[in-house]
């Protein structure tokens, strides 16, 4: 699952496997609403075999639930 709190800047949240230059496994575009959004991932969720790397716009906070 991912919880997103959007700020006043729209942009992309990207989850990559294998660091900053790894493969993109999930991407979501936020809007500048200031709202909170909780996204449940279906089945086994997002799989990062090597390492997880998340990038966000400057005014967005993201909590990634990893197990």
């Amino acid at each position: 699952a991912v919880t997103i709190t959007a700020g006043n800047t729209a942009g992309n949240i990207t989850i990559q496997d294998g660091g900053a230059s790894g493969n993109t496994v999930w991407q979501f575009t936020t809007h500048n609403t200031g709202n909170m959004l909780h996204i449940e991932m279906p089945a086994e969720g997002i799989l990062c075999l090597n390492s997880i790397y998340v990038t966000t716009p400057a005014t967005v906070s993201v909590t990634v639930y990893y197990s």
Side-chain angles (χ1 to χ4, degrees):
V2 177
T3 300
I4 301 165
T5 303
N8 59 4
T9 305
N12 291 323
I13 298 167
T14 304
I15 298 178
Q16 293 168 268
D17 180 20
S21 60
N23 293 326
T24 298
V25 294
W26 187 79
Q27 187 171 14
F28 182 80
T29 301
T30 65
H31 301 282
N32 56 345
T33 60
N35 294 335
M36 181 180 283
L37 175 65
H38 184 77
I39 302 172
E40 291 286 333
M41 301 300 168
E44 295 181 15
I46 299 168
L47 179 62
C48 293
L49 294 173
N50 300 302
S51 64
I52 187 170
Y53 185 84
V54 181
T55 57
T56 67
T59 62
V60 174
S61 65
V62 175
T63 302
V64 177
Y65 301 92
Y66 183 78
S67 62

